[in-house]
mmCIF file with all atom_site columns, all heavy atoms in Angstrom:
data_model
loop_
_atom_site.group_PDB
_atom_site.id
_atom_site.type_symbol
_atom_site.label_atom_id
_atom_site.label_alt_id
_atom_site.label_comp_id
_atom_site.label_asym_id
_atom_site.label_entity_id
_atom_site.label_seq_id
_atom_site.pdbx_PDB_ins_code
_atom_site.Cartn_x
_atom_site.Cartn_y
_atom_site.Cartn_z
_atom_site.occupancy
_atom_site.B_iso_or_equiv
_atom_site.pdbx_formal_charge
_atom_site.auth_seq_id
_atom_site.auth_comp_id
_atom_site.auth_asym_id
_atom_site.auth_atom_id
_atom_site.pdbx_PDB_model_num
ATOM 1   N N   . CYS A 1 9  ? -2.335  4.069  6.933  1.00 64.00 ? 85 CYS A N   1
ATOM 2   C CA  . CYS A 1 9  ? -2.295  5.008  8.050  1.00 64.00 ? 85 CYS A CA  1
ATOM 3   C C   . CYS A 1 9  ? -2.914  4.398  9.302  1.00 64.00 ? 85 CYS A C   1
ATOM 4   O O   . CYS A 1 9  ? -2.379  4.533  10.398 1.00 64.00 ? 85 CYS A O   1
ATOM 5   C CB  . CYS A 1 9  ? -3.047  6.287  7.696  1.00 64.00 ? 85 CYS A CB  1
ATOM 6   S SG  . CYS A 1 9  ? -2.243  7.251  6.418  1.00 64.00 ? 85 CYS A SG  1
ATOM 7   N N   . GLU A 1 10 ? -4.056  3.719  9.123  1.00 63.00 ? 86 GLU A N   1
ATOM 8   C CA  . GLU A 1 10 ? -4.761  3.153  10.265 1.00 63.00 ? 86 GLU A CA  1
ATOM 9   C C   . GLU A 1 10 ? -3.931  2.080  10.965 1.00 63.00 ? 86 GLU A C   1
ATOM 10  O O   . GLU A 1 10 ? -4.025  1.900  12.176 1.00 63.00 ? 86 GLU A O   1
ATOM 11  C CB  . GLU A 1 10 ? -6.104  2.566  9.821  1.00 63.00 ? 86 GLU A CB  1
ATOM 12  C CG  . GLU A 1 10 ? -7.135  3.630  9.518  1.00 63.00 ? 86 GLU A CG  1
ATOM 13  C CD  . GLU A 1 10 ? -8.457  3.026  9.085  1.00 63.00 ? 86 GLU A CD  1
ATOM 14  O OE1 . GLU A 1 10 ? -8.522  2.529  7.956  1.00 63.00 ? 86 GLU A OE1 1
ATOM 15  O OE2 . GLU A 1 10 ? -9.413  3.066  9.892  1.00 63.00 ? 86 GLU A OE2 1
ATOM 16  N N   . SER A 1 11 ? -3.103  1.381  10.206 1.00 62.00 ? 87 SER A N   1
ATOM 17  C CA  . SER A 1 11 ? -2.287  0.343  10.818 1.00 62.00 ? 87 SER A CA  1
ATOM 18  C C   . SER A 1 11 ? -1.198  0.942  11.701 1.00 62.00 ? 87 SER A C   1
ATOM 19  O O   . SER A 1 11 ? -0.700  0.293  12.616 1.00 62.00 ? 87 SER A O   1
ATOM 20  C CB  . SER A 1 11 ? -1.658  -0.533 9.731  1.00 62.00 ? 87 SER A CB  1
ATOM 21  O OG  . SER A 1 11 ? -0.718  0.209  8.969  1.00 62.00 ? 87 SER A OG  1
ATOM 22  N N   . ARG A 1 12 ? -0.827  2.200  11.428 1.00 68.00 ? 88 ARG A N   1
ATOM 23  C CA  . ARG A 1 12 ? 0.244   2.850  12.193 1.00 68.00 ? 88 ARG A CA  1
ATOM 24  C C   . ARG A 1 12 ? -0.311  3.822  13.232 1.00 68.00 ? 88 ARG A C   1
ATOM 25  O O   . ARG A 1 12 ? 0.228   3.955  14.325 1.00 68.00 ? 88 ARG A O   1
ATOM 26  C CB  . ARG A 1 12 ? 1.167   3.591  11.220 1.00 68.00 ? 88 ARG A CB  1
ATOM 27  C CG  . ARG A 1 12 ? 1.870   2.655  10.248 1.00 68.00 ? 88 ARG A CG  1
ATOM 28  C CD  . ARG A 1 12 ? 2.521   3.393  9.099  1.00 68.00 ? 88 ARG A CD  1
ATOM 29  N NE  . ARG A 1 12 ? 3.558   4.320  9.542  1.00 68.00 ? 88 ARG A NE  1
ATOM 30  C CZ  . ARG A 1 12 ? 4.267   5.061  8.692  1.00 68.00 ? 88 ARG A CZ  1
ATOM 31  N NH1 . ARG A 1 12 ? 4.040   4.988  7.404  1.00 68.00 ? 88 ARG A NH1 1
ATOM 32  N NH2 . ARG A 1 12 ? 5.184   5.876  9.153  1.00 68.00 ? 88 ARG A NH2 1
ATOM 33  N N   . THR A 1 13 ? -1.370  4.535  12.903 1.00 66.00 ? 89 THR A N   1
ATOM 34  C CA  . THR A 1 13 ? -2.010  5.471  13.829 1.00 66.00 ? 89 THR A CA  1
ATOM 35  C C   . THR A 1 13 ? -3.515  5.311  13.660 1.00 66.00 ? 89 THR A C   1
ATOM 36  O O   . THR A 1 13 ? -4.128  5.997  12.844 1.00 66.00 ? 89 THR A O   1
ATOM 37  C CB  . THR A 1 13 ? -1.600  6.926  13.522 1.00 66.00 ? 89 THR A CB  1
ATOM 38  O OG1 . THR A 1 13 ? -1.815  7.191  12.143 1.00 66.00 ? 89 THR A OG1 1
ATOM 39  C CG2 . THR A 1 13 ? -0.150  7.176  13.861 1.00 66.00 ? 89 THR A CG2 1
ATOM 40  N N   . PRO A 1 14 ? -4.138  4.423  14.383 1.00 81.00 ? 90 PRO A N   1
ATOM 41  C CA  . PRO A 1 14 ? -5.544  4.076  14.138 1.00 81.00 ? 90 PRO A CA  1
ATOM 42  C C   . PRO A 1 14 ? -6.483  5.275  14.244 1.00 81.00 ? 90 PRO A C   1
ATOM 43  O O   . PRO A 1 14 ? -6.383  6.083  15.160 1.00 81.00 ? 90 PRO A O   1
ATOM 44  C CB  . PRO A 1 14 ? -5.841  3.047  15.233 1.00 81.00 ? 90 PRO A CB  1
ATOM 45  C CG  . PRO A 1 14 ? -4.513  2.520  15.642 1.00 81.00 ? 90 PRO A CG  1
ATOM 46  C CD  . PRO A 1 14 ? -3.550  3.643  15.468 1.00 81.00 ? 90 PRO A CD  1
ATOM 47  N N   . PHE A 1 15 ? -7.394  5.372  13.266 1.00 90.00 ? 91 PHE A N   1
ATOM 48  C CA  . PHE A 1 15 ? -8.464  6.358  13.326 1.00 90.00 ? 91 PHE A CA  1
ATOM 49  C C   . PHE A 1 15 ? -9.577  5.807  14.201 1.00 90.00 ? 91 PHE A C   1
ATOM 50  O O   . PHE A 1 15 ? -9.885  4.619  14.156 1.00 90.00 ? 91 PHE A O   1
ATOM 51  C CB  . PHE A 1 15 ? -9.044  6.622  11.930 1.00 90.00 ? 91 PHE A CB  1
ATOM 52  C CG  . PHE A 1 15 ? -8.038  7.102  10.923 1.00 90.00 ? 91 PHE A CG  1
ATOM 53  C CD1 . PHE A 1 15 ? -8.040  6.574  9.641  1.00 90.00 ? 91 PHE A CD1 1
ATOM 54  C CD2 . PHE A 1 15 ? -7.115  8.076  11.243 1.00 90.00 ? 91 PHE A CD2 1
ATOM 55  C CE1 . PHE A 1 15 ? -7.136  7.014  8.692  1.00 90.00 ? 91 PHE A CE1 1
ATOM 56  C CE2 . PHE A 1 15 ? -6.204  8.523  10.304 1.00 90.00 ? 91 PHE A CE2 1
ATOM 57  C CZ  . PHE A 1 15 ? -6.204  7.994  9.025  1.00 90.00 ? 91 PHE A CZ  1
ATOM 58  N N   . LYS A 1 16 ? -10.200 6.676  14.947 1.00 94.00 ? 92 LYS A N   1
ATOM 59  C CA  . LYS A 1 16 ? -11.358 6.292  15.743 1.00 94.00 ? 92 LYS A CA  1
ATOM 60  C C   . LYS A 1 16 ? -12.576 7.022  15.192 1.00 94.00 ? 92 LYS A C   1
ATOM 61  O O   . LYS A 1 16 ? -12.631 8.256  15.210 1.00 94.00 ? 92 LYS A O   1
ATOM 62  C CB  . LYS A 1 16 ? -11.144 6.667  17.209 1.00 94.00 ? 92 LYS A CB  1
ATOM 63  C CG  . LYS A 1 16 ? -12.353 6.371  18.105 1.00 94.00 ? 92 LYS A CG  1
ATOM 64  C CD  . LYS A 1 16 ? -12.097 6.865  19.523 1.00 94.00 ? 92 LYS A CD  1
ATOM 65  C CE  . LYS A 1 16 ? -13.329 6.661  20.399 1.00 94.00 ? 92 LYS A CE  1
ATOM 66  N NZ  . LYS A 1 16 ? -13.109 7.210  21.771 1.00 94.00 ? 92 LYS A NZ  1
ATOM 67  N N   . SER A 1 17 ? -13.534 6.272  14.658 1.00 96.00 ? 93 SER A N   1
ATOM 68  C CA  . SER A 1 17 ? -14.752 6.903  14.153 1.00 96.00 ? 93 SER A CA  1
ATOM 69  C C   . SER A 1 17 ? -15.566 7.454  15.312 1.00 96.00 ? 93 SER A C   1
ATOM 70  O O   . SER A 1 17 ? -15.757 6.786  16.328 1.00 96.00 ? 93 SER A O   1
ATOM 71  C CB  . SER A 1 17 ? -15.593 5.887  13.375 1.00 96.00 ? 93 SER A CB  1
ATOM 72  O OG  . SER A 1 17 ? -14.919 5.469  12.219 1.00 96.00 ? 93 SER A OG  1
ATOM 73  N N   . ILE A 1 18 ? -16.039 8.682  15.168 1.00 97.00 ? 94 ILE A N   1
ATOM 74  C CA  . ILE A 1 18 ? -16.818 9.342  16.211 1.00 97.00 ? 94 ILE A CA  1
ATOM 75  C C   . ILE A 1 18 ? -18.043 9.992  15.584 1.00 97.00 ? 94 ILE A C   1
ATOM 76  O O   . ILE A 1 18 ? -18.145 10.124 14.364 1.00 97.00 ? 94 ILE A O   1
ATOM 77  C CB  . ILE A 1 18 ? -15.983 10.409 16.951 1.00 97.00 ? 94 ILE A CB  1
ATOM 78  C CG1 . ILE A 1 18 ? -15.452 11.466 15.957 1.00 97.00 ? 94 ILE A CG1 1
ATOM 79  C CG2 . ILE A 1 18 ? -14.840 9.771  17.726 1.00 97.00 ? 94 ILE A CG2 1
ATOM 80  C CD1 . ILE A 1 18 ? -14.707 12.629 16.614 1.00 97.00 ? 94 ILE A CD1 1
ATOM 81  N N   . SER A 1 19 ? -18.972 10.397 16.410 1.00 97.00 ? 95 SER A N   1
ATOM 82  C CA  . SER A 1 19 ? -20.147 11.120 15.929 1.00 97.00 ? 95 SER A CA  1
ATOM 83  C C   . SER A 1 19 ? -19.843 12.613 15.923 1.00 97.00 ? 95 SER A C   1
ATOM 84  O O   . SER A 1 19 ? -18.830 13.057 16.442 1.00 97.00 ? 95 SER A O   1
ATOM 85  C CB  . SER A 1 19 ? -21.346 10.834 16.828 1.00 97.00 ? 95 SER A CB  1
ATOM 86  O OG  . SER A 1 19 ? -21.081 11.273 18.151 1.00 97.00 ? 95 SER A OG  1
ATOM 87  N N   . GLY A 1 20 ? -20.726 13.381 15.322 1.00 97.00 ? 96 GLY A N   1
ATOM 88  C CA  . GLY A 1 20 ? -20.588 14.836 15.422 1.00 97.00 ? 96 GLY A CA  1
ATOM 89  C C   . GLY A 1 20 ? -20.365 15.570 14.134 1.00 97.00 ? 96 GLY A C   1
ATOM 90  O O   . GLY A 1 20 ? -20.529 16.795 14.081 1.00 97.00 ? 96 GLY A O   1
ATOM 91  N N   . GLY A 1 21 ? -19.957 14.867 13.052 1.00 98.00 ? 97 GLY A N   1
ATOM 92  C CA  . GLY A 1 21 ? -19.801 15.544 11.766 1.00 98.00 ? 97 GLY A CA  1
ATOM 93  C C   . GLY A 1 21 ? -18.940 16.784 11.842 1.00 98.00 ? 97 GLY A C   1
ATOM 94  O O   . GLY A 1 21 ? -17.863 16.778 12.444 1.00 98.00 ? 97 GLY A O   1
ATOM 95  N N   . VAL A 1 22 ? -19.429 17.895 11.277 1.00 98.00 ? 98 VAL A N   1
ATOM 96  C CA  . VAL A 1 22 ? -18.622 19.117 11.233 1.00 98.00 ? 98 VAL A CA  1
ATOM 97  C C   . VAL A 1 22 ? -18.477 19.795 12.580 1.00 98.00 ? 98 VAL A C   1
ATOM 98  O O   . VAL A 1 22 ? -17.653 20.696 12.741 1.00 98.00 ? 98 VAL A O   1
ATOM 99  C CB  . VAL A 1 22 ? -19.193 20.138 10.217 1.00 98.00 ? 98 VAL A CB  1
ATOM 100 C CG1 . VAL A 1 22 ? -18.986 19.680 8.800  1.00 98.00 ? 98 VAL A CG1 1
ATOM 101 C CG2 . VAL A 1 22 ? -20.648 20.459 10.498 1.00 98.00 ? 98 VAL A CG2 1
ATOM 102 N N   . THR A 1 23 ? -19.274 19.393 13.565 1.00 98.00 ? 99 THR A N   1
ATOM 103 C CA  . THR A 1 23 ? -19.118 19.984 14.899 1.00 98.00 ? 99 THR A CA  1
ATOM 104 C C   . THR A 1 23 ? -18.379 19.053 15.848 1.00 98.00 ? 99 THR A C   1
ATOM 105 O O   . THR A 1 23 ? -18.281 19.341 17.048 1.00 98.00 ? 99 THR A O   1
ATOM 106 C CB  . THR A 1 23 ? -20.486 20.370 15.488 1.00 98.00 ? 99 THR A CB  1
ATOM 107 O OG1 . THR A 1 23 ? -21.369 19.244 15.440 1.00 98.00 ? 99 THR A OG1 1
ATOM 108 C CG2 . THR A 1 23 ? -21.106 21.524 14.706 1.00 98.00 ? 99 THR A CG2 1
#
Side-chain angles (χ1 to χ4, degrees):
C85 292
E86 286 180 287
S87 67
R88 297 167 62 179
T89 52
F91 302 136
K92 177 184 176 183
S93 295
I94 58 175
S95 61
V98 289
T99 53

